[in-house]
Amino acid sequence: GAMVSNPDLLASELLNKQMTPTRISLRRGLIEVSEGGHPEEVFLLVLWGQMVLMSEGYVPVTLEYGDAVYFGVNSTYRLIGGSADGAEVLRICTGTGAYGR
């Protein structure tokens, strides 16, 4: 099976955050799975490399260095490392159910 990434929660010492920033390193084929029902909104920015965003009910989208996407979350989505060198992604979650709160 595919290997799952180990996200790096940023500013974890801050309490009562309205946003939860996370740096995610994805090797090729590495998967970061986010179950629906947690944050209300997500912003993704590809810091380097290439990744694929897969979300229930949508076609997969390939994102490369500098690409960003902002979306509401009500279902599971997956981030998959797409380039040979993988990718590094900044994910910012917002809402009352943001990760790490």
Side-chain angles (χ1 to χ4, degrees):
M3 298 175 64
V4 178
S5 73
N6 187 13
D8 182 18
L9 186 63
L10 305 174
S12 60
E13 69 281 358
L14 297 177
L15 302 177
N16 301 318
K17 294 181 286 194
Q18 298 302 309
M19 298 184 301
T20 304
T22 308
R23 184 176 49 233
I24 302 170
S25 295
L26 298 168
R27 291 191 309 263
R28 183 176 181 86
L30 192 69
I31 300 175
E32 166 66 17
V33 178
S34 296
E35 300 294 331
H38 295 290
E40 294 174 8
E41 298 172 325
V42 174
F43 173 79
L44 299 172
L45 172 65
V46 180
L47 302 174
W48 59 262
Q50 181 187 74
M51 57 150 279
V52 177
L53 169 62
M54 298 181 71
S55 183
E56 293 176 6
Y58 297 94
V59 296
V61 176
T62 299
L63 301 170
E64 299 181 349
Y65 166 74
D67 288 344
V69 64
Y70 176 81
F71 56 98
V73 177
N74 56 11
S75 62
T76 299
Y77 66 93
R78 291 172 177 78
L79 309 178
I80 304 170
S83 60
D85 293 331
E88 186 161 286
V89 180
L90 174 65
R91 176 179 63 192
I92 301 175
C93 300
T94 66
T96 56
Y99 301 104
R101 294 195 43 198

